[in-house]
Amino acid sequence: NAGVTQTPKFRILKIGQSMTLQCAQDMNHNYMYWYRQDPGMGLKLIYYSVGAGITDKGEVPNGYNVSRSTTEDFPLRLELAAPSQTSVYFCASSLTGQGRSPLHFGNGTRLTVT
Amino acid sequence: AQSVTQLDSQVPVFEEAPVELRCNYSSSVSVYLFWYVQYPNQGLQLLLKYLSGSTLVKGINGFEAEFNKSQTSFHLRKPSVHISDTAEYFCAVSADSGGSNYKLTFGKGTLLTVNP
């Protein structure tokens, strides 16, 4: 199993550009998540999904959108990139809700907006 | 609402020394507790978890943690560290936020640096 795969690993965007961060998992997990990690701030939840066709906002959803058309894929869309979106983005999945099931993380996408 | 406090942002130690990374949480309901480790340029991976039962939990790579309900703590320990343990460690708490909706909250992380 590859686990959780994120692409690209690195990306530089100009202010106002858009992009999609890809995330795929092959563990048949229902729950998927997008986090951003900023130095010294831990992880903040952007969006999550409890299954195909169902998504919901996390703590910091502004400036982002998601979709979940299949169990495997959970892309994150950035519209009109801003310098505040410079961060490392992690996708994660879990078998059940966050209560008891540990999260499986991808290796991250490092995004710089200039 | 729950919160997690990792009391040290950085912990430098020498190889083969013992280490304790401290984590305190606040929650008005029962919690599940996790420690994750992040090696450079990688994602987080689970080190250990407390769901119920014995308060002393053993994880991978020789780490263990003890759940102390009265002190609302879940400190991570290792009796003898290696250079390869250099990484960032995150404590996380999961609690029922209502209607069986669990919210997972991460601490800000502790950077463990093991020096030769």
Side-chain angles (χ1 to χ4, degrees):
Chain A
N1 285 350
V4 179
T5 302
Q6 290 184 241
T7 56
K9 287 185 170 54
F10 304 94
R11 184 72 186 267
I12 298 174
L13 281 183
K14 293 189 186 305
I15 295 171
Q17 287 185 320
S18 301
M19 76 163 294
T20 299
L21 282 65
Q22 301 291 345
C23 174
Q25 53 94 6
D26 62 359
M27 297 172 283
N28 204 31
H29 285 173
N30 284 324
Y31 289 73
M32 295 187 75
Y33 315 86
W34 275 105
Y35 287 90
R36 59 178 287 170
Q37 182 182 30
D38 300 298
M41 298 302 292
L43 280 79
K44 301 293 184 187
L45 182 65
I46 305 171
Y47 269 95
Y48 67 98
S49 168
V50 303
I54 307 169
T55 63
D56 207 348
K57 296 177 181 178
E59 297 175 77
V60 290
N62 291 343
Y64 308 95
N65 275 303
V66 294
S67 59
R68 184 97 181 269
S69 57
T70 67
T71 299
E72 294 77 21
D73 299 299
F74 190 41
L76 177 72
R77 177 85 177 159
L78 278 72
E79 304 282 2
L80 298 174
S84 60
Q85 293 178 305
T86 293
S87 187
V88 182
Y89 291 85
F90 288 99
C91 179
S93 71
S94 64
L95 183 61
T96 62
Q98 295 175 351
R100 296 173 62 92
S101 246
L103 272 60
H104 298 257
F105 285 84
N107 283 333
T109 295
R110 187 175 296 274
L111 175 68
T112 302
V113 182
T114 61
Chain B
Q2 74 237 40
S3 65
V4 181
T5 302
Q6 290 185 242
L7 295 149
D8 305 294
S9 59
Q10 297 185 53
V11 174
V13 295
F14 288 108
E15 196 174 15
E16 298 183 7
V19 71
E20 179 180 80
L21 306 183
R22 297 179 292 166
C23 174
N24 285 91
Y25 69 91
S26 67
S27 175
S28 57
V29 298
S30 295
V31 297
Y32 303 120
L33 297 157
F34 305 84
W35 275 99
Y36 286 86
V37 58
Q38 183 180 30
Y39 298 105
N41 300 313
Q42 294 187 25
L44 283 70
Q45 62 185 82
L46 183 69
L47 202 54
L48 50 78
K49 61 186 177 188
Y50 171 79
L51 302 180
S52 65
S54 172
T55 57
L56 184 62
V57 180
K58 293 189 185 298
I60 60 172
N61 300 338
F63 283 92
E64 64 180 31
E66 185 155 20
F67 170 52
N68 188 319
K69 189 174 181 180
S70 62
Q71 297 188 9
T72 60
S73 67
F74 191 54
H75 301 333
L76 181 70
R77 300 186 183 99
K78 187 170 182 178
S80 175
V81 294
H82 303 290
I83 299 283
S84 58
D85 292 322
T86 294
E88 190 152 24
Y89 292 78
F90 292 91
C91 181
V93 172
S94 181
D96 189 349
S97 61
S100 295
N101 292 318
Y102 284 86
K103 181 182 176 186
L104 183 67
T105 301
F106 285 90
K108 294 185 176 180
T110 297
L111 179 62
L112 173 65
T113 303
V114 182
N115 298 301

